[in-house]
Amino acid sequence: MIIAVDGPAASGKGSIARALAAHYGLPHLDTGLLYRAVGLSVARAGGNADDPHDAVAACDFPESLLMDTELRNEASGALASRVSIHPQVRAALIQRQRDFAMQPGGAVLDGRDIGTVIAPGASAKLFVIASPEVRADRRLNEMHRNGMEADRDAIIADIRARDDRDMNRDHAPLKQAEGADLLDTSNLTIDAAVRQAISLVDAQLDRRSKE
Ligand code: C5P
């Protein structure tokens, strides 16, 4: 069984996808990490993330890069969003994601285009959202926990810019997939969001088993 979890940055989709994977005993792939790895590789090679040639050359990144903690920072997220616009980059990463999804027993994948492009036939699909303000506060709290300071308005602006790029690109834009349930986590604790996610997935699996 394949579970597709899509949504914008800091919507809670990553935590939800990890919890679903643990609940259903499935492996989990955070596909954003692949795009972050491409973005960081371009930057480290002195290339330009907006140049498709530089970005495609970086798709061959070493596996060990996926463990690099720098991938988790805001700068890598912004680089990822820039390289992910190029269709050649998306094409270079597609097979790896589909292979992960199709492994025996299934998997949980989270990203932007899992339910629309990577696994449109997924057994269950969620589209996780939250308001930009709530998402900015989550980012701020995370940064404070890591001893970093940041300006809330700058983070909100950053989130809006990334949403705009992800939702309005020509290839595999961020949008609710057909058949995906919407889960708004703005006013939910993570535990409550996970409980709702599990009941939505259970209901979708139940519906599918009767089709
Ligand atoms: O999910 P995360 O914030 O790590 O993703 C970073 C960026 O990678 C996103 O803003 C998006 O542009 C890109 N991405 C994508 N397709 C995916 C996952 C991530 O385009 N499946």
Side-chain angles (χ1 to χ4, degrees), residues 36-182:
R36 285 170 182 258
V38 175
L40 189 57
S41 290
V42 174
R44 285 185 177 165
N48 175 5
D50 302 319
D51 178 340
H53 297 287
D54 287 359
V56 168
C59 289
D60 223 4
F61 60 81
E63 212 49 30
S64 57
L65 182 59
L66 293 174
M67 310 302 284
D68 197 313
T69 51
E70 211 181 318
L71 286 186
R72 311 268 171 191
N73 67 26
E74 291 296 312
S76 296
L79 283 164
S81 163
R82 286 164 60 196
V83 296
S84 70
I85 282 181
H86 308 306
Q88 305 93 316
V89 168
R90 308 203 68 84
L93 299 179
I94 207 167
Q95 201 52 46
R96 177 184 186 140
Q97 297 172 77
R98 287 205 172 133
D99 288 348
F100 191 91
M102 299 302 288
Q103 64 188 291
V108 180
L109 289 86
D110 75 81
R112 302 291 186 292
D113 62 341
I114 308 304
T116 51
V117 175
I118 302 297
S123 331
K125 299 181 190 179
L126 296 180
F127 192 67
V128 183
I129 59 164
S131 72
E133 292 75 15
V134 165
R135 289 155 57 203
D137 288 339
R138 288 175 185 162
R139 278 272 183 267
L140 266 179
N141 288 337
E142 191 184 324
M143 293 173 87
H144 286 160
R145 275 198 301 276
N146 292 322
M148 289 185 270
E149 285 301 322
D151 175 54
R152 185 171 185 264
D153 288 341
I155 295 190
I156 293 177
D158 217 57
I159 280 179
R160 287 192 197 278
R162 187 124 77 94
D163 283 357
D164 186 55
R165 241 192 331 256
D166 289 351
M167 287 157 62
N168 294 311
R169 66 184 177 213
D170 290 337
H171 299 274
L174 170 66
K175 63 173 184 202
Q176 187 171 355
E178 205 184 315
D181 279 326
L182 187 70

